[in-house]
Amino acid sequence: MKDRIVFITGASSGIGEACARKFASQGANLILNARNTNVLEQLKIELESKNAISVYLLPFDVRDRDAIAKALVSLPEKWKKIDVLINNAGLVIGMDKEHEGQLDEWDIVIDTNIKGLLAVTRLVVPGMVERGIGHIINIGSIAGDGAYPGGSVYCATKAAVKALSDGLRIDLVNTPLRVTNVKPGMVETNFSVVRFRGDKGVADRFYEGIQALSGDDVAETVYFAASVPVHVQIAEVLLMPTNQATSTISYKENY
Ligand code: 8X3
């Protein structure tokens, strides 16, 4: 991965941040995106001081199509040659039933998880096709494989990520580019705090009795997919804790 350029969206926390650390440790130069500029700046300082790599920051909200376009145009020439795009930015707010939830919150979820991913892909992939090199790794979810209680809109967005990944793989079949959909099950990150509308206590209790995946566990899988020989395309990976079997069936000790 040495000297490759890896662009990660939603890199300020969770799986995105873990991917940044993993790819940095393997010598990749990073373009890091997130909304929180301060956190990104801290991460840049840390990663550049610990690894012989460079980090370029592109703070924007993936829901802001103009901001994405402007940010990508502003990249210095050498940074434009993106080798790996990790479409990680995503979230869920609340666990409401489909007939009871708030449309404004769902707009944020849909605009980030689907339209944001699509906009970044649309703007980054043409350059990859032109250069004949590139790997798009979408962070999907076990949620995309089937709906579960209180998750219908989030599950729909992750089903969309699967369709967008499959469709892109089809559209790029006559190119050297690869497309991977990494679908984690239960992962303990700040994601769940946002899901429970900032209630860390509820989020923590959700993981009691089970060893959930960490962001690092997922980052290892993302890195593996990115580092296999170029004639190998890992289309999809579903990974979950050992004590999870489906999105609704898991074993929690003492529960
Ligand atoms: C997050 C995993 O199982 O909470 O994408 O939907 S799950």
Side-chain angles (χ1 to χ4, degrees), residues 7 9 33 60-69 72 85 87-91 103-124 138-139 153-154 156-165:
F7 178 15
T9 67
N33 153 265
F60 56 73
D61 186 328
V62 296
R63 290 178 296 162
D64 186 343
R65 205 179 289 170
D66 289 343
I68 306 171
L72 289 172
L85 165 63
N87 273 318
N88 163 75
L91 80 168
L103 289 165
D104 287 345
E105 287 183 338
W106 287 339
D107 274 344
I108 298 171
V109 176
I110 291 167
D111 288 351
T112 305
N113 298 8
I114 305 178
K115 291 164 74 178
L117 177 144
L118 185 55
V120 174
T121 299
R122 176 65 185 86
L123 289 164
V124 170
N138 291 332
I139 305 300
V153 171
Y154 177 67
T157 67
K158 291 300 179 174
V161 171
K162 174 171 168 52
L164 291 170
S165 306

XYZ file of all heavy atoms in Angstrom, residues 7 9 33 60-69 72 85 87-91 103-124 138-139 153-154 156-165:
433
model
N -8.584 7.550 -0.214
C -9.537 8.616 0.145
C -10.634 7.990 1.008
O -11.324 7.059 0.576
C -10.098 9.205 -1.152
C -11.136 10.295 -0.986
C -11.343 10.951 0.215
C -11.892 10.695 -2.076
C -12.290 11.962 0.338
C -12.847 11.701 -1.967
C -13.042 12.327 -0.757
N -14.043 8.703 3.349
C -15.078 9.636 3.822
C -15.499 9.225 5.237
O -15.405 8.058 5.617
C -16.312 9.659 2.898
O -16.985 8.394 2.966
C -15.930 9.956 1.458
N -11.733 12.805 4.773
C -12.921 13.669 4.760
C -13.776 13.429 6.001
O -13.866 12.296 6.488
C -13.779 13.370 3.514
C -15.240 13.709 3.763
O -16.044 12.849 4.122
N -15.577 14.971 3.643
N -15.792 18.272 4.355
C -17.093 18.657 3.791
C -18.122 17.642 4.251
O -17.791 16.582 4.763
C -17.055 18.762 2.251
C -16.598 17.519 1.526
C -17.414 16.397 1.424
C -15.348 17.482 0.914
C -16.997 15.267 0.743
C -14.915 16.348 0.236
C -15.747 15.234 0.152
N -19.378 18.033 4.073
C -20.490 17.138 4.371
C -20.827 16.430 3.055
O -21.085 17.112 2.052
C -21.676 17.987 4.871
C -22.838 17.132 5.350
O -23.041 16.032 4.800
O -23.557 17.585 6.261
N -20.836 15.107 3.041
C -21.084 14.405 1.767
C -22.471 14.696 1.197
O -22.755 14.362 0.046
C -20.877 12.868 1.883
C -19.436 12.519 2.210
C -21.847 12.244 2.868
N -23.335 15.360 2.000
C -24.653 15.737 1.477
C -24.568 16.988 0.601
O -25.519 17.318 -0.090
C -25.627 16.016 2.632
C -26.008 14.773 3.395
C -26.920 15.134 4.542
N -26.258 15.974 5.524
C -26.880 16.713 6.428
N -28.184 16.737 6.479
N -26.193 17.434 7.289
N -23.418 17.683 0.668
C -23.254 18.944 -0.057
C -22.490 18.685 -1.360
O -21.264 18.711 -1.408
C -22.498 19.935 0.845
C -22.405 21.313 0.229
O -22.616 21.443 -0.993
O -22.116 22.255 0.979
N -23.253 18.461 -2.416
C -22.662 18.062 -3.697
C -21.691 19.108 -4.235
O -20.633 18.771 -4.762
C -23.810 17.860 -4.683
C -23.473 16.922 -5.792
C -24.662 16.754 -6.710
N -25.731 15.988 -6.093
C -26.955 15.877 -6.627
N -27.257 16.503 -7.726
N -27.869 15.140 -6.028
N -22.048 20.393 -4.091
C -21.162 21.456 -4.589
C -19.844 21.453 -3.827
O -18.774 21.643 -4.403
C -21.815 22.834 -4.437
C -22.960 22.995 -5.418
O -23.013 22.208 -6.393
O -23.807 23.872 -5.197
N -19.953 21.247 -2.496
C -18.735 21.248 -1.674
C -17.818 20.083 -2.082
O -16.594 20.243 -2.126
C -19.099 21.134 -0.194
N -18.396 18.939 -2.387
C -17.570 17.789 -2.807
C -16.842 18.133 -4.103
O -15.636 17.930 -4.227
C -18.425 16.519 -3.064
C -19.297 16.166 -1.863
C -17.517 15.333 -3.413
C -20.306 15.057 -2.150
N -17.608 18.678 -5.065
C -17.013 19.001 -6.365
C -15.883 20.014 -6.198
O -14.790 19.847 -6.746
C -18.085 19.530 -7.310
N -12.773 18.442 -4.551
C -11.996 17.560 -5.424
C -11.227 18.341 -6.479
O -10.081 18.020 -6.789
C -12.915 16.509 -6.070
C -13.417 15.455 -5.072
C -14.473 14.567 -5.693
C -12.264 14.600 -4.541
N -10.895 4.370 -2.945
C -11.939 5.225 -2.351
C -12.708 4.375 -1.347
O -13.279 3.336 -1.715
C -12.892 5.732 -3.439
C -14.220 6.333 -2.943
C -13.977 7.580 -2.095
C -15.133 6.666 -4.135
N -15.835 4.594 0.741
C -17.089 5.317 1.002
C -17.639 4.839 2.329
O -18.375 3.857 2.410
C -18.101 5.011 -0.109
C -17.971 5.941 -1.293
O -17.797 7.153 -1.141
N -18.047 5.363 -2.480
N -17.248 5.532 3.395
C -17.597 5.087 4.740
C -18.637 5.975 5.417
O -19.395 5.506 6.271
C -16.311 5.035 5.586
C -16.621 4.980 7.059
O -17.025 3.951 7.585
N -16.467 6.111 7.757
N -18.704 7.259 5.021
C -19.599 8.192 5.734
C -21.026 7.647 5.751
O -21.584 7.310 4.704
C -19.565 9.566 5.057
N -21.575 7.544 6.927
C -22.939 7.018 7.027
C -23.412 7.103 8.459
O -22.611 7.212 9.394
N -24.710 7.085 8.631
C -25.250 7.190 9.988
C -26.690 6.695 10.030
O -27.309 6.428 8.991
C -25.194 8.641 10.488
C -26.291 9.617 10.031
C -26.230 10.881 10.861
C -26.203 9.937 8.565
N -39.474 12.397 9.290
C -39.000 12.488 7.905
C -37.731 13.327 7.786
O -36.852 13.029 6.978
C -40.105 13.044 7.005
C -41.270 12.053 6.787
C -42.480 12.769 6.201
C -40.858 10.902 5.888
N -37.609 14.381 8.623
C -36.417 15.232 8.543
C -35.160 14.445 8.909
O -34.108 14.613 8.308
C -36.554 16.444 9.470
C -37.554 17.447 8.910
O -37.889 17.328 7.721
O -37.990 18.321 9.678
N -35.271 13.596 9.928
C -34.110 12.771 10.302
C -33.798 11.770 9.189
O -32.639 11.520 8.869
C -34.393 12.030 11.614
C -34.375 12.928 12.824
C -34.589 12.180 14.131
O -35.146 11.061 14.129
O -34.195 12.735 15.167
N -34.825 11.207 8.620
C -34.585 10.220 7.553
C -33.971 10.853 6.314
O -33.206 10.212 5.596
C -35.887 9.490 7.222
C -36.278 8.528 8.305
C -35.451 7.977 9.249
C -37.580 8.001 8.566
N -36.164 7.140 10.075
C -37.473 7.131 9.679
C -38.820 8.178 7.968
C -38.561 6.441 10.198
C -39.912 7.485 8.478
C -39.782 6.625 9.585
N -34.303 12.150 6.076
C -33.647 12.861 4.965
C -32.138 12.854 5.168
O -31.370 12.623 4.232
C -34.128 14.320 4.908
C -35.414 14.465 4.104
O -35.751 13.526 3.353
O -36.078 15.507 4.248
N -31.720 13.135 6.423
C -30.274 13.179 6.709
C -29.651 11.811 6.443
O -28.587 11.695 5.828
C -30.023 13.618 8.172
C -30.556 15.030 8.408
C -28.539 13.523 8.524
C -30.548 15.472 9.868
N -30.331 10.766 6.900
C -29.798 9.403 6.753
C -29.724 9.011 5.270
O -28.689 8.527 4.782
C -30.672 8.400 7.554
C -30.205 6.976 7.329
C -30.637 8.750 9.045
N -30.805 9.273 4.545
C -30.847 8.893 3.119
C -29.852 9.734 2.315
O -29.108 9.213 1.481
C -32.287 9.068 2.573
C -33.206 8.010 3.199
C -32.310 8.959 1.048
C -34.697 8.277 2.983
N -29.810 11.036 2.594
C -28.925 11.923 1.827
C -27.449 11.595 2.080
O -26.613 11.745 1.191
C -29.195 13.394 2.173
C -30.528 13.869 1.595
O -31.132 13.124 0.799
O -30.972 14.973 1.961
N -27.133 11.167 3.294
C -25.739 10.823 3.603
C -25.391 9.441 3.058
O -24.424 9.285 2.297
C -25.511 10.831 5.137
O -25.900 12.098 5.668
C -24.052 10.544 5.472
N -26.193 8.447 3.449
C -25.825 7.054 3.163
C -25.939 6.685 1.684
O -25.168 5.849 1.197
C -26.705 6.094 3.972
C -26.539 6.270 5.468
O -25.874 7.199 5.921
N -27.144 5.394 6.249
N -26.903 7.288 0.998
C -27.096 6.925 -0.421
C -26.571 8.028 -1.342
O -25.646 7.809 -2.117
C -28.586 6.674 -0.754
C -29.186 5.612 0.177
C -28.718 6.229 -2.219
C -30.671 5.349 -0.051
N -27.167 9.228 -1.232
C -26.832 10.268 -2.212
C -25.411 10.781 -2.028
O -24.732 11.127 -2.996
C -27.860 11.397 -2.141
C -29.225 10.928 -2.664
C -30.352 11.839 -2.270
C -30.354 13.127 -3.046
N -31.519 13.981 -2.653
N -24.925 10.803 -0.768
C -23.545 11.234 -0.512
C -22.556 10.251 -1.113
O -21.596 10.633 -1.790
N -22.808 8.980 -0.864
C -21.927 7.933 -1.422
C -21.918 8.011 -2.945
O -20.864 7.925 -3.591
C -22.425 6.566 -0.925
C -21.704 5.313 -1.422
C -21.643 4.246 -0.330
C -22.358 4.728 -2.664
N -23.104 8.198 -3.510
C -23.220 8.252 -4.977
C -22.494 9.465 -5.549
O -21.787 9.365 -6.559
C -24.706 8.277 -5.351
C -25.063 8.210 -6.831
C -24.446 6.996 -7.512
C -26.584 8.198 -6.987
N -22.620 10.608 -4.873
C -21.987 11.828 -5.381
C -20.465 11.704 -5.351
O -19.778 12.066 -6.314
C -22.441 13.028 -4.551
N -19.927 11.170 -4.244
C -18.465 11.019 -4.157
C -17.997 10.030 -5.227
O -17.016 10.271 -5.941
C -18.040 10.557 -2.739
C -16.544 10.268 -2.700
C -18.397 11.626 -1.700
N -18.724 8.930 -5.361
C -18.370 7.926 -6.380
C -18.380 8.553 -7.770
O -17.437 8.364 -8.558
C -19.394 6.765 -6.326
O -19.325 6.188 -5.026
C -19.098 5.705 -7.375
N -19.427 9.307 -8.050
C -19.584 9.911 -9.387
C -18.429 10.840 -9.724
O -18.027 10.958 -10.871
C -20.919 10.679 -9.431
C -21.174 11.435 -10.718
C -21.333 10.504 -11.905
N -21.472 11.226 -13.165
C -20.449 11.647 -13.910
N -19.202 11.413 -13.531
N -20.669 12.295 -15.044
N -17.893 11.505 -8.677
C -16.836 12.490 -8.914
C -15.436 11.873 -8.893
O -14.519 12.409 -9.508
C -16.936 13.622 -7.885
C -18.155 14.530 -8.099
C -18.443 15.372 -6.873
C -17.943 15.428 -9.319
N -15.260 10.761 -8.207
C -13.915 10.179 -8.067
C -13.645 9.095 -9.125
O -12.532 9.009 -9.663
C -13.719 9.586 -6.642
C -12.439 8.766 -6.555
C -13.707 10.710 -5.610
N -17.104 0.200 -0.527
C -18.270 0.793 0.135
C -18.499 0.100 1.472
O -18.466 -1.133 1.545
C -19.508 0.648 -0.748
C -19.416 1.512 -1.999
O -18.751 2.551 -1.996
N -20.072 1.087 -3.062
N -18.737 0.896 2.495
C -19.081 0.298 3.790
C -20.600 0.151 3.828
O -21.341 1.114 4.021
C -18.562 1.138 4.984
C -17.047 1.369 4.858
C -18.897 0.434 6.301
C -16.169 0.117 4.824
N -35.626 2.351 7.482
C -35.017 3.338 6.590
C -33.503 3.100 6.492
O -32.928 3.102 5.401
C -35.325 4.775 7.063
C -34.527 5.796 6.268
C -36.814 5.045 6.912
N -32.877 2.855 7.641
C -31.435 2.566 7.608
C -31.161 1.314 6.767
O -30.247 1.314 5.927
C -30.909 2.367 9.041
C -29.444 2.002 9.076
C -28.472 2.915 8.680
C -29.026 0.734 9.481
C -27.127 2.579 8.690
C -27.693 0.390 9.496
C -26.740 1.320 9.099
O -25.410 0.979 9.101
N -32.939 0.181 4.384
C -33.161 0.523 2.975
C -31.921 1.209 2.389
O -31.532 0.950 1.254
C -34.378 1.439 2.838
N -31.288 2.080 3.196
C -30.105 2.782 2.661
C -28.965 1.797 2.429
O -28.199 1.919 1.479
C -29.612 3.926 3.575
O -29.093 3.411 4.809
C -30.705 4.937 3.838
N -28.850 0.805 3.313
C -27.742 -0.141 3.151
C -28.047 -1.172 2.055
O -27.131 -1.703 1.431
C -27.417 -0.810 4.492
C -26.795 0.169 5.494
C -25.485 0.771 4.954
C -24.848 1.757 5.910
N -23.524 2.235 5.455
N -29.342 -1.432 1.814
C -29.716 -2.235 0.641
C -29.344 -1.462 -0.626
O -28.896 -2.037 -1.618
C -31.207 -2.559 0.671
N -29.517 -0.136 -0.552
C -29.133 0.706 -1.691
C -27.624 0.650 -1.909
O -27.153 0.610 -3.051
C -29.583 2.146 -1.469
N -26.854 0.635 -0.809
C -25.394 0.552 -0.946
C -25.021 -0.760 -1.642
O -24.123 -0.802 -2.486
C -24.684 0.677 0.425
C -23.189 0.369 0.310
C -24.897 2.074 1.000
N -25.748 -1.831 -1.318
C -25.479 -3.106 -2.007
C -25.782 -2.970 -3.507
O -24.981 -3.367 -4.349
C -26.301 -4.246 -1.397
C -26.146 -5.532 -2.194
C -26.751 -6.753 -1.561
C -26.803 -7.925 -2.554
N -25.529 -8.220 -3.218
N -26.934 -2.376 -3.834
C -27.311 -2.233 -5.248
C -26.327 -1.323 -5.983
O -25.940 -1.597 -7.126
C -28.732 -1.689 -5.357
N -25.914 -0.240 -5.319
C -24.958 0.680 -5.954
C -23.604 0.003 -6.147
O -22.919 0.229 -7.149
C -24.798 1.954 -5.110
C -26.028 2.872 -5.071
C -25.856 3.961 -4.022
C -26.281 3.496 -6.447
N -23.206 -0.835 -5.199
C -21.931 -1.566 -5.318
C -22.024 -2.572 -6.464
O -21.118 -2.660 -7.306
C -21.598 -2.319 -4.018
O -21.623 -1.435 -2.917
